[in-house]
Amino acid sequence: MRAARLTPIARTGAALLTAALFGLAPAAPALADDSPSPSPSASASAGPPTEAGTDFRTATAVQQGERATADASTGDYLYWAFPGDTGQDITVKATVTFPSTSVTHAASTWQIDVYDGLRRHQPCRYGMASRQADPGATSVELSCTLRTVTSYADTWSNDPLRGAYYLRLTATDIAQTDLGLPVQAAVEATASDAGGSAAADGSVTPLVPRESASVVPSGGWSSTWWSARWLWSAGGAALAALAGIGGYALTRGRGRPRGIPREV
Amino acid sequence: MITRKRLAAWLGTALLTVATCGALPASASADAPDPQAAPKVELVLDVSGSMSTKDIDGQSRMSAAKQAFDEVLDSTPADTQLGIRTLGANYPGDDRQVGCRDTAQLYPVGPLDRDQAKAAVATLNPTGWTPIGPALLAAAKDLKGGTGSHRIVLITDGEDTCGPTNPCEIARQIAAQGVGMTIDTLGLIPDATTRDQLSCIAEATGGTYTTVQHRQQLTNRVQQLVQRDTDTTVNPVPVQGGPDCADAPTVRPGLYSDRETFSENRWYKVDVDPGQELRAAVSVSDDRAVDPDYGVLLRAVTTHGREIVRDAEAGSGRTDMISAGLRYPKPKAGSGSGDDPAPAETVCVEVGNSFAAPPSVKTTPGLPVELSIGLVASPHRASDVASFGLGDGWWLLGLLTLTGFVAGVLWGWLSRWRVAIWRTN
């Protein structure tokens, strides 16, 4: 639980406030129209998803930390969408398992690609995003660690912003004879907190396209104003004050001599 | 405590719902199940003579398919509009002309009556030819109408030998006509040519191809495909981009589909109000054999031709699509502009691709383009790189402490000096 997240009660309060505002403000339709609203069907399903989408539009929404699985055929393009929030270092892991069948498969290359909410391809800082499976191998492990998600970026950069992230898993190089053979895929996105040093100024509406409106962190988007920088700065101020008092006590001398009366 | 939280949450949800419904009457109706938007699926089953071969778990291909159909029909969601079409089920003769027209609708697309559908499937016997192309065309006709997704699931054990048109070309034409038409293919113990043909059909429509060796595998896959579209609610709206900015159609926020031939550029116009951010994302799919290197370009340009922002992506190797996206925040008008709000700016969005294909590949219809347009509140501008201009780290602490200490020392000297002055006076 990050300190930045609002507590459930505070969130409810915020929701109440928003609701009241929406009810009153005449400009509400335009506002509501612009913000992607989570679809009720997505939250209804229990447990991690067992299906994958086939393109950006149908990408299966999955939460961070959930291990999504899918039965697929070799050659399929599998899509999932997960939320990435400000200040997170996201790592995506995928495992492709070849079920033991009478058919032995030839060598194949598997790859994960991560795209942001604007379908811009995101580079991996490290991790094997593409790997070759030897003939007869039982599984392939892939991983990709993204750059830290920031709260603001220039419009002409493709720095990762908070919002939906799409994960595509596919075989990039396969023998024709392997086409259509069954495989099992499992993916999981996890995140660690990058800390205050990554906190940037400004905030951008989460990059969640309408077709993936159900991609929202389970605790809602974290606020963009909080960062550990507040603690560092306040702590620095307190230390400065203490050091100031210390320095003053060192040099001011004894002050007014004791024996001399006040009224002279 | 828990009760209080729940109550608060419930109240919040209720209030939000009321507020949203009051503000957005249109969205409420969009969420309700709409028969027009229900997903439609047609299963196309090969009943040609070769289906009597006994090589799937010791059973004949036909009986494996029948059992699979029974299980699939049992598990199909009630709101799915499902139909069944056969190919090669009726004409046992040798006349190619007649055999290649042999496709019939076994069960019409509509609300599912499980018993009727099962009874119809039970009557099938492996008989005739394999006219895949005509069956696909007829299936596309069966599925016509409605705004939901359309899916054809083709189950066959052999290639189309009827000609003259390759069923792969037919599939591409079907995908170009219909809205969200996908063809998934399943090959029962296929040979190399059948596999190539079926995977080509799947690729041409954004569908999937599966090689089937076991009955359970067939059941699971067909079940998976039939249920695949029940969750998706957003279907792209067809639009035709213009050859330049002046002739471009104006698009509102939403999801659009278009076709763009090789190395073509298409333009769209979007009106962006001050204080809004334009978000455009595009993906161009390769639905046929293309050269290994390809790319996509997405540009936002003013009506006067000045480029605002662009994104380009290039790739190579096997892929289903290549995509790019851009953001353009239009700042709020200055405070001194008076009462009348600033007019919306028309931004031209250009979508280009650099796919290429060998001369043998047909260039029409064009490659499928999916364009996602969004308008959201424009971002809070950064005044500093760091969050609120705040500091971070041990160097900051050291500097602040040192500064505080120096200030304290100076203040102490000052006060000592004042005491000395006071003493001498």
Side-chain angles (χ1 to χ4, degrees):
Chain A
M1 194 75 186
R2 296 182 48 196
R5 295 216 192 287
L6 300 169
T7 63
I9 290 185
R11 227 184 303 124
T12 316
L16 276 167
L17 246 174
T18 323
L21 277 175
F22 270 49
L24 293 173
L31 272 170
D33 202 30
D34 287 343
S35 62
S37 58
S39 83
S41 62
S43 55
S45 60
T50 54
E51 292 286 337
T54 52
D55 55 18
F56 286 117
R57 185 166 58 87
T58 56
T60 306
V62 55
Q63 285 296 332
Q64 282 186 12
E66 271 185 345
R67 192 175 162 85
T69 53
D71 290 324
S73 306
T74 305
D76 283 4
Y77 298 91
L78 305 175
Y79 284 81
W80 290 270
F82 62 90
D85 212 341
T86 311
Q88 289 184 330
D89 281 331
I90 296 171
T91 301
V92 180
K93 285 200 168 80
T95 312
V96 181
T97 317
F98 308 101
S100 52
T101 50
S102 49
V103 192
T104 48
H105 57 88
S108 53
T109 307
W110 292 79
Q111 183 172 320
I112 46 175
D113 295 284
V114 183
Y115 298 85
D116 74 355
L118 288 177
R119 304 184 182 186
R120 297 182 293 194
H121 191 259
Q122 291 292 322
C124 302
R125 279 198 295 175
Y126 46 84
M128 285 292 279
S130 177
R131 204 190 282 264
Q132 192 177 18
D134 296 327
T138 53
S139 70
V140 192
E141 304 265 348
L142 303 164
S143 119
C144 172
T145 301
L146 301 177
R147 297 172 292 172
T148 307
V149 179
T150 58
S151 61
Y152 188 87
D154 290 326
T155 46
W156 51 87
S157 80
N158 79 339
D159 290 350
L161 289 162
R162 63 179 177 155
Y165 282 83
Y166 296 102
L167 166 64
R168 184 185 77 164
L169 171 65
T170 191
T172 51
D173 189 14
I174 32 174
Q176 281 296 306
T177 47
D178 284 355
L179 209 58
L181 291 180
V183 288
Q184 277 151 14
V187 295
E188 186 176 10
T190 50
S192 60
D193 198 335
S197 57
D201 203 8
S203 81
V204 177
T205 316
L207 256 62
V208 181
R210 288 166 167 241
E211 58 270 24
S212 310
S214 57
V215 182
V216 175
S218 49
W221 299 105
S222 65
S223 53
T224 49
W225 63 268
W226 172 258
S227 72
R229 283 176 183 264
W230 288 101
L231 295 180
W232 282 104
S233 299
L239 279 177
L242 284 175
I245 292 167
Y248 178 74
L250 212 67
T251 53
R252 68 162 181 168
R254 294 224 194 89
R256 188 197 301 262
R258 228 174 244 176
I260 296 167
R262 249 164 206 269
E263 312 291 329
V264 182
Chain B
M1 183 63 187
I2 289 166
T3 336
R4 223 180 72 210
K5 267 189 195 169
R6 271 199 191 146
L7 184 67
W10 184 85
L11 257 176
T13 321
L15 255 174
L16 250 180
T17 317
V18 167
T20 320
C21 285
L24 268 174
S27 79
S29 64
D31 288 342
D34 175 10
Q36 279 291 302
K40 287 183 178 180
V41 186
E42 181 143 85
L43 305 175
V44 180
L45 179 64
D46 179 357
V47 200
S48 62
S50 56
M51 286 292 280
S52 56
T53 316
K54 287 195 175 174
D55 58 0
I56 293 192
D57 298 340
Q59 288 176 302
S60 76
R61 296 172 183 177
M62 194 65 231
S63 68
K66 277 184 185 174
Q67 283 186 28
F69 267 51
D70 275 359
E71 286 173 50
V72 168
L73 290 170
D74 276 334
S75 66
T76 303
D79 59 337
T80 309
Q81 309 254 322
L82 186 126
I84 302 172
R85 175 168 280 280
T86 58
L87 54 98
N90 302 318
Y91 178 71
D94 288 336
D95 189 341
R96 188 194 181 90
Q97 287 284 324
V98 185
C100 285
R101 281 201 304 268
D102 181 11
T103 170
Q105 193 165 42
L106 189 70
Y107 187 81
V109 179
L112 185 63
D113 182 335
R114 293 200 170 88
D115 296 333
Q116 260 187 35
K118 278 189 202 172
V121 171
T123 60
L124 294 175
N125 265 318
T127 310
W129 295 64
T130 315
I132 293 178
L136 290 180
L137 277 176
K141 222 174 265 173
D142 295 344
L143 291 172
K144 229 170 210 167
T147 55
S149 61
H150 297 168
R151 187 178 289 274
I152 297 172
V153 180
L154 171 68
I155 302 152
T156 179
D157 68 338
E159 61 180 319
D160 186 333
T161 46
C162 287
T165 321
N166 190 334
C168 193
E169 293 292 335
I170 294 175
R172 196 167 297 130
Q173 278 161 20
I174 291 172
Q177 294 162 6
V179 183
M181 178 74 81
T182 314
I183 303 177
D184 293 292
T185 54
L186 292 99
L188 304 173
I189 322 270
D191 54 24
T193 42
T194 308
R195 189 181 56 227
D196 287 351
Q197 195 170 76
L198 292 181
S199 62
C200 181
I201 292 173
E203 187 190 42
T205 61
T208 60
Y209 164 70
T210 306
T211 297
V212 176
Q213 264 122 7
H214 303 284
R215 186 179 60 79
Q216 195 54 44
Q217 194 194 348
L218 177 65
T219 310
N220 292 349
R221 188 62 173 177
V222 177
Q223 254 169 12
Q224 189 185 28
L225 293 172
V226 167
Q227 290 172 14
R228 189 159 262 182
D229 283 324
T230 48
D231 286 344
T232 58
T233 48
V234 184
N235 283 303
V237 180
V239 68
Q240 196 174 359
D244 53 40
C245 184
D247 301 324
T250 301
V251 290
R252 291 172 43 74
L255 195 65
Y256 298 92
S257 66
D258 198 356
R259 290 264 165 177
E260 193 173 276
T261 187
F262 291 90
S263 304
E264 192 190 354
N265 288 285
R266 288 209 166 182
W267 293 79
Y268 311 87
K269 275 193 279 204
V270 189
D271 291 327
V272 185
D273 282 323
Q276 282 189 324
E277 180 179 279
L278 166 68
R279 284 176 179 177
V282 70
S283 53
V284 181
S285 312
D286 54 330
D287 61 349
R288 64 204 80 178
V290 293
D291 287 347
D293 290 313
Y294 42 81
V296 64
L297 170 71
L298 183 64
R299 297 203 305 153
V301 178
T302 65
T303 45
H304 305 294
R306 180 180 70 84
E307 180 177 293
I308 304 166
V309 61
R310 74 154 70 193
D311 189 35
E313 179 75 18
S316 69
R318 184 177 181 272
T319 191
D320 57 340
M321 56 86 217
I322 183 144
S323 61
L326 56 80
R327 305 192 295 131
Y328 166 51
K330 183 162 172 60
K332 279 203 175 77
S335 53
S337 63
D339 291 334
D340 47 319
E345 181 189 356
T346 301
V347 176
C348 301
V349 177
E350 181 191 9
V351 176
N353 76 78
S354 55
F355 277 97
S360 59
V361 173
K362 271 194 176 177
T363 54
T364 53
L367 302 165
V369 174
E370 194 174 275
L371 179 69
S372 171
I373 297 284
L375 286 171
V376 297
S378 130
H380 152 62
R381 277 191 82 83
S383 57
D384 192 312
V385 177
S387 170
F388 294 92
L390 294 168
D392 168 79
W394 298 107
W395 280 99
L396 174 80
L397 290 198
L399 175 70
L400 287 178
T401 311
L402 188 69
T403 315
F405 182 75
V406 169
V409 164
L410 287 176
W411 197 248
W413 274 336
L414 190 69
S415 83
R416 180 182 260 186
W417 174 70
R418 277 177 56 212
V419 169
I421 299 276
W422 172 81
R423 261 192 184 169
T424 47
N425 291 346

